[in-house]
């Protein structure tokens, strides 16, 4: 038994619904009690879908348990086929139905339905949403592509399938557009995109392509591995998030397809991240500490962009995707940080506090943590929120995706810069303590609420942002004190490096057993660290 | 699926009326389970913590229904049953004790821990009331532990509150038989609504008046033979029976939605306490006048419009009565997840005979009826709203009726505005579906 407040992933049947809702001409009959229909609003509210997801919930009640819940399932399945006329029927059980062991697959078989039935086993007390989506996609592809042998003659033009985008996936809607454009610019034909937008007939055509692009391993890895074993289709597993990864992706795709990369592809001017990052305005991004957390795909990609393309320092990296923990551990080793593999958001919040980042890249959960800690944050991964389905075109993948990422990560920091300027000029008559931050709506400036003299207040305001929240954590209990002379000297250091100077001085003092910190200590530390 | 017309279910207290037919169909229910009522219960009772003993689905429901994850650490959580518990590799009661100990160590300010049963815990017959009494022995008096079921196999949405309140009744202190008559108002209301009601009761000279649920777990109202109670929400039928078992007398009335409903509600109380007519009129007149004025602003938007209500909170008959009598709309269908004739009889009696009343749900066939009836406004849950809007229909989310303070004179205008808003919006937009 595990105590949970918020979860990163829903139960596996929600993953199955995501796949069903991604596709055309599929209907899912889910054996479930009343209440499990809440899943519909994920799609109609968060994703603003214009149709209900193609799911029938059998809605059994307590009084049915002593009677015939199997009969309720059979009626629901028959009615669903008659009403929705799908090309294929998925059947499965939610957590409660799993306990009553009605065997939806077996029951559906006895009905003599005139459509193919794909039964799902969703171990709700063991697995989670992404696993459920991956398993459902795999079962569907096996069911519809599995019967065919390897197609005899491959078409002359190189072709591929794009596997993994799903309903409720983080920016998947726009990623597909970007990736299709990129792949087609190499002269490669897109055979199928699945599950998003595919029908069962499209799944049956998957083996006709030369190779598969695994866009989201969390959803498509199982399927692509099976396709490789079954049909010898190569897998491209480079996820094109970021400039470097997009270049690698293009190279990999071209290699697998046996085509040349057109020389103009990288020089069209469509990609702006590289120049924006090189421009002198971006100098202040250098060495910014970023904490990265999300699903494995987005977290690994974000760490690479942060480190190689924006010149940040990755100070924390983690994922809730236990299935891909190994990949995240490898990446963390590259950046010299301890990997955090956890689906407990409180552990993640503690890790953020300990890492003292200047920017948090995470899920909606970390956005809330960052808001509490008064840290800038950008969302990079599911679980999704209505904000993660912007009206505008906003991919993460490809060159346009890199542009979007530059804006969405750097703008919160620029807002942070404004914040510092506000505090720098707080003595001027236009500014005053009550003039709160322009972008962090969460209360006024921390210093304004703290008792103490004017000088103490300004010092507190200039401390690293998370300080207020970390004041009572163990990590700070043994922090050396500052003499007032040293505090005053610290305040003369330009605001944009002051947080770092404070941190460096304190760690230098702690290492050398110096307490309290004097002006001497401050400059000794500066000499020691080189800046 | 099966359809029955249940003629015996007509409201019996209006003997002159012919039996009203109730449409009952069996199929998919597009409603929340009882766990969802924790959303407002934990805000109402500020020293209580609600621990769902359930599955990942329960936890996911709670955060999805909450819409956004707004609270740092809300006063509810889920103890997720896992494979080890089910396989018997771990003793579930030991596991639960561990979770509770950890939770209470983290949240020492909690005075009432509520174990909430879910579909999985009910199906595996985990005895939570018994676990609560065991845990109570360990943690009281610092923290009391109680249990109720909010499972989807037994409860729909607001019925979760009913079960919680019914489970609180045995803990209410006893009021002595010779105590002067007192009033308990049953069903969670907004604090602002309670305060307004108290001013009316003070004016009428009625008191003491207490509310259930109380704002703190340690201030439950006393109950005994001289206690009278009135329901402020239609979903608290089981709690009403529990109060009657403790000797309290129920005052029956329509619910305090709109000017008419609020007046009928206050009048039933005033009559029970023998308040003179003139005094009643003097005290309620300003509120009645304000309420009439406030709803009149929105009547032009709603009058003559046809409205279809999907089942959601059990408030539907009261909403339909308000819309029909005070806003001059025509009600096509009023659906309710559960029709407690004893409780909503006075509301149904005020609805025209032409109104179709349905109990329970087969959502597909109900949607078919919307397509046939083509109403001007559909009041429905969040799962259905956008698909209807995409068809060019106007909808109002029903969940807002349980989260927004709408009872009493001062909120009558808010209620009208809430329902009129989708139509006003559609009239404003030059773009759309």
């Amino acid at each position: 038994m595990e105590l949970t407040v918020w979860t990163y992933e829903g139960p596996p049947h929600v993953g199955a619904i995501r796949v069903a809702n991604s596709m055309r001409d599929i209907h899912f009959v889910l054996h479930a009690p009343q209440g499990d229909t809440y899943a519909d609003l994920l799609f109609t509210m968060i994703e603003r879908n214009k149709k209900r997801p193609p799911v029938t919930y059998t809605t059994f009640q307590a009084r049915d348990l002593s009677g015939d819940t199997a009969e309720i399932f059979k009626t629901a399945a028959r009615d669903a086929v008659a009403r929705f006329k799908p090309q294929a029927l998925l059947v499965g059980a939610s957590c409660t139905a799993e306990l009553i062991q009605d065997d939806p697959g077996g029951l559906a078989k006895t009905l003599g339905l005139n459509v193919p039935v794909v039964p799902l086993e969703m171990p709700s007390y063991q697995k989670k949403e992404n696993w459920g989506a991956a398993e459902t996609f795999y079962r569907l592809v096996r069911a519809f592509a599995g019967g065919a042998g390897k197609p005899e003659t491959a078409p002359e033009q190189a072709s591929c399938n794009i596997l993994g985008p799903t309903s409720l996936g983080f920016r998947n809607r726009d990623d597909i557009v970007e990736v299709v454009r990129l792949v087609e610019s190499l002269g490669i034909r897109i055979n199928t995109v699945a599950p998003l937008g595919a029908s069962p007939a499209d799944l049956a055509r998957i083996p006709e392509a030369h190779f598969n692009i695994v866009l989201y391993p969390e959803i498509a890895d199982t399927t692509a591995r099976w396709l490789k074993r079954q049909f010898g289709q190569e897998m491209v597993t480079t996820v094109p998030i970021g400039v470097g990864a997009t270049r690698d992706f293009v190279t990999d795709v071209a290699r697998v397809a046996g085509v040349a990369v057109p020389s103009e592809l990288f020089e069209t001017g469509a990609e702006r991240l590289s120049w924006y990052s090189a421009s002198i305005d971006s100098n202040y991004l250098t060495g910014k500490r970023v904490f990265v957390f999300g699903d494995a795909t987005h977290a690994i990609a974000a760490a690479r962009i942060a480190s190689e393309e924006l010149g940040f320092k990755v100070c924390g990296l983690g994922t809730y995707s236990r299935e891909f923990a190994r990949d995240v551990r490898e990446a963390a080793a590259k950046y010299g940080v301890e990997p955090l593999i956890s689906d407990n958001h409180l552990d993640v919040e503690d890790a953020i506090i300990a890492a003292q980042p200047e920017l948090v890249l995470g899920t909606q959960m970390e956005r809330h943590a960052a808001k509490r800690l008064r840290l800038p944050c950008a969302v990079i991964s599911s679980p999704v929120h209505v904000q993660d389905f912007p009206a505008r075109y906003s991919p993460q993948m490809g060159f346009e995706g890199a542009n979007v990422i530059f804006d969405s990560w750097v703008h919160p920091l620029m807002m942070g810069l404004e914040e510092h300027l506000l505090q720098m000029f707080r003595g001027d008559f236009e500014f005053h303590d009550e003039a709160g931050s322009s972008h962090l709506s969460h209360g006024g400036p921390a210093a304004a609420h703290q008792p103490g003299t004017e000088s103490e207040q300004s010092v507190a305001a200039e401390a690293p942002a998370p300080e207020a929240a970390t004041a009572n954590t163990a990590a700070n209990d043994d922090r050396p004190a500052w003499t007032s002379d040293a505090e005053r000297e610290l305040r003369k250091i330009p605001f944009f490096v002051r947080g770092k100077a404070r941190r460096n001085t304190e760690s230098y003092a702690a290492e050398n057993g110096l307490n309290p910190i004097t002006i001497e200590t401050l400059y000794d530390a500066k000499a020691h660290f080189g800046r | 699926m099966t359809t029955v017309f249940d003629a015996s279910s007509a409201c019996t207290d209006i003997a002159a009326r012919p039996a009203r037919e109730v449409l009952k169909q069996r199929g998919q229910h597009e409603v929340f389970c009882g766990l969802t009522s924790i959303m407002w219960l934990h805000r109402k009772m500020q020293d209580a913590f609600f621990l769902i003993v359930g599955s990942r689905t329960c936890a996911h429901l709670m955060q999805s229904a909450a819409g956004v994850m707004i609270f740092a650490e809300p006063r509810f959580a889920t103890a997720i049953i896992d494979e080890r518990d089910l396989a018997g590799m771990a003793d579930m009661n030991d596991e639960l004790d561990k979770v509770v100990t950890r939770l209470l160590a983290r949240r020492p300010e909690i005075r009432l821990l509520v174990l909430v049963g879910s579909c999985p815990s009910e199906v595996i017959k985990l005895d939570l009331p018994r676990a609560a009494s065991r845990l109570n022995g360990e943690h009281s008096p610092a923290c009391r532990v109680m249990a109720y079921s909010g499972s989807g196999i037994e409860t729909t949405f607001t019925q979760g509150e009913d079960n919680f309140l019914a489970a609180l009744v045995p803990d209410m202190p006893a009021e002595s038989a010779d105590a002067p008559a007192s009033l308990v108002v049953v069903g969670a209301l907004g604090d602002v609504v309670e305060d307004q009601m108290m001013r009316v009761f003070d004016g009428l000279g009625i008191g003491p008046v207490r509310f259930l649920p109380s704002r703190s777990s340690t201030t439950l109202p006393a109950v005994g033979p001289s206690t009278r109670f009135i329901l402020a929400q239609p979903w608290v039928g089981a709690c009403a029976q529990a109060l009657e078992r403790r000797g309290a007398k129920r005052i029956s009335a329509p619910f305090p939605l709109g000017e008419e409903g609020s007046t009928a509600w206050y009048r039933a109380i005033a009559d029970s306490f023998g308040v003179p007519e003139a005094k009643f009129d003097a005290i309620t007149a300003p509120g009645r006048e304000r309420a009439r004025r406030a709803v009149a602003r929105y009547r032009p938007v709603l009058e003559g419009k046809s409205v279809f209500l999907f089942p959601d909170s059990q408030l539907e008959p009261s909403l339909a009565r308000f819309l029909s009598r005070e806003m001059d709309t025509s009600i096509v269908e009023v659906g309710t997840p559960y029709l407690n004739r004893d409780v909503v009889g006075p509301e149904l009696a005020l609805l025209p005979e032409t109104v179709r009343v349905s109990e329970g749900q087969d959502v597909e066939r109900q949607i078919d009826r919307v397509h046939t009836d083509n109403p001007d406004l559909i009041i429905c849950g969040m799962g259905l709203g956008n698909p209807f809007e995409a068809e060019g229909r106007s909808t109002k989310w029903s969940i807002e009726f349980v989260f927004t303070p709408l009872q009493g004179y001062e909120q009558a205008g808010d209620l009208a505005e809430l329902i009129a808003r989708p139509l006003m919006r559609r009239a404003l937009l030059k773009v759309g579906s």
Side-chain angles (χ1 to χ4, degrees), chain A residues 169-463:
Chain A
F170 188 77
R171 306 290 169 85
N172 290 11
R173 175 195 74 190
D174 299 340
D175 283 350
I176 294 178
V177 178
E178 202 57 27
V179 171
V180 164
R181 184 155 60 201
L182 203 56
V183 172
E184 285 181 342
S185 71
L186 295 170
I188 297 163
R189 186 176 66 84
I190 309 290
N191 183 55
T192 291
V193 179
L196 200 59
S199 68
D202 293 331
L203 299 188
R205 292 191 298 103
I206 284 179
E208 293 171 12
H210 287 98
F211 66 100
N212 291 314
I213 291 172
V214 182
L215 222 43
Y216 304 98
E218 283 86 348
I219 311 293
D221 188 66
T222 314
T223 303
R225 284 176 195 279
W226 177 79
L227 289 167
K228 188 176 182 182
R229 285 198 302 275
Q230 199 73 8
F231 303 108
Q233 288 175 315
E234 277 296 316
M235 295 162 65
V236 172
T237 55
T238 311
V239 178
I241 302 179
V243 176
T246 300
R247 288 167 183 265
D248 292 350
F249 171 81
V250 168
T251 309
D252 285 356
V253 167
R255 178 181 48 78
V256 172
V259 299
V261 179
S263 56
E264 70 277 13
L265 187 69
F266 296 138
E267 291 150 18
T268 56
E271 185 268 296
R272 299 187 192 92
L273 181 146
S274 307
W275 166 237
Y276 276 38
S277 190
S279 71
I280 53 172
D281 180 68
S282 295
N283 253 300
Y284 82 98
L285 301 177
T286 312
K288 286 270 183 210
R289 296 168 64 82
V290 294
F291 184 94
V292 183
F293 192 86
D295 65 13
T297 300
H298 289 88
I300 293 169
R304 178 174 174 187
I305 299 167
S307 169
E308 297 178 8
E309 298 173 20
L310 295 171
F312 291 153
K313 164 93 182 106
V314 175
C315 67
L317 175 61
T319 186
Y320 57 83
S321 315
R322 286 187 189 277
E323 292 89 345
F324 295 87
R326 208 183 59 187
D327 302 333
V328 174
R329 286 200 181 93
E330 278 171 18
K334 212 185 306 175
Y335 305 110
V337 294
E338 197 58 40
L340 174 65
I341 314 298
S342 173
D343 55 5
N344 183 334
H345 71 104
L346 296 173
D347 291 348
V348 180
E349 181 165 343
D350 288 346
I352 294 174
I353 291 169
Q356 301 210 339
E358 292 158 280
L359 174 68
V360 175
L361 302 173
T363 71
Q364 289 292 336
M365 227 87 80
E366 286 68 48
R367 185 172 72 86
H368 283 278
K371 204 164 156 188
R372 284 193 290 279
L373 300 171
R374 300 170 51 75
L375 286 171
C377 175
V379 175
I380 59 159
S381 158
S382 298
V384 289
H385 182 277
V386 69
Q387 286 180 354
D388 299 322
F389 292 89
R392 67 181 184 280
Y393 182 59
S394 189
Q396 297 287 288
M397 292 187 174
F399 295 127
E400 184 58 23
N403 297 340
V404 168
I405 285 172
F406 182 90
D407 288 348
S408 53
W409 297 9
V410 170
H411 288 176
L413 285 173
M414 285 178 20
M415 297 287 214
L417 201 67
E418 277 178 15
E419 174 94 344
H420 284 296
L421 288 169
L422 198 71
Q423 282 173 354
M424 194 182 183
F425 297 123
R426 63 194 298 142
D428 296 4
F429 70 89
E430 293 94 337
F431 297 96
H432 50 88
D433 274 357
E434 279 69 41
S437 38
S438 55
H439 71 298
L440 296 171
S441 58
H442 216 61
H449 301 299
Q450 287 175 1
T453 65
E454 159 61 32
S455 77
E456 275 168 353
Q457 283 190 12
S458 1
V459 167
E462 286 148 8

Side-chain angles (χ1 to χ4, degrees), chain A residues 57-214:
Chain A
Y57 305 80
T58 58
T59 315
F60 56 83
Q61 292 172 288
R63 63 169 184 261
D64 303 317
L65 293 177
S66 51
D68 202 350
T69 49
E71 200 51 49
I72 292 174
F73 175 85
K74 282 153 76 175
T75 310
R78 254 190 240 110
D79 286 357
V81 170
R83 177 176 285 267
F84 298 103
K85 301 183 177 56
Q87 282 181 22
L89 195 70
L90 279 170
V91 298
S94 80
C95 52
T96 307
E98 184 184 338
L99 296 171
I100 59 177
Q101 299 183 329
D102 272 341
D103 181 22
L107 291 173
K109 223 177 275 176
T110 66
L111 294 176
L113 299 170
N114 58 359
V115 292
V117 175
V118 181
L120 299 175
E121 295 285 341
M122 298 271 122
S124 302
Y125 299 90
Q126 194 187 343
K127 302 289 191 184
K128 287 181 282 194
E129 179 178 334
N130 279 342
W131 183 90
E135 172 72 8
T136 304
F137 185 44
Y138 166 64
R139 291 291 158 197
L140 281 166
V141 171
R142 264 197 83 141
F144 293 100
K150 189 174 160 58
E152 283 177 15
T153 47
E156 279 180 11
Q157 187 190 13
S159 64
C160 69
N161 303 305
I162 296 177
L163 305 181
T166 54
S167 183
L168 284 184
F170 188 77
R171 306 290 169 85
N172 290 11
R173 175 195 74 190
D174 299 340
D175 283 350
I176 294 178
V177 178
E178 202 57 27
V179 171
V180 164
R181 184 155 60 201
L182 203 56
V183 172
E184 285 181 342
S185 71
L186 295 170
I188 297 163
R189 186 176 66 84
I190 309 290
N191 183 55
T192 291
V193 179
L196 200 59
S199 68
D202 293 331
L203 299 188
R205 292 191 298 103
I206 284 179
E208 293 171 12
H210 287 98
F211 66 100
N212 291 314
I213 291 172
V214 182

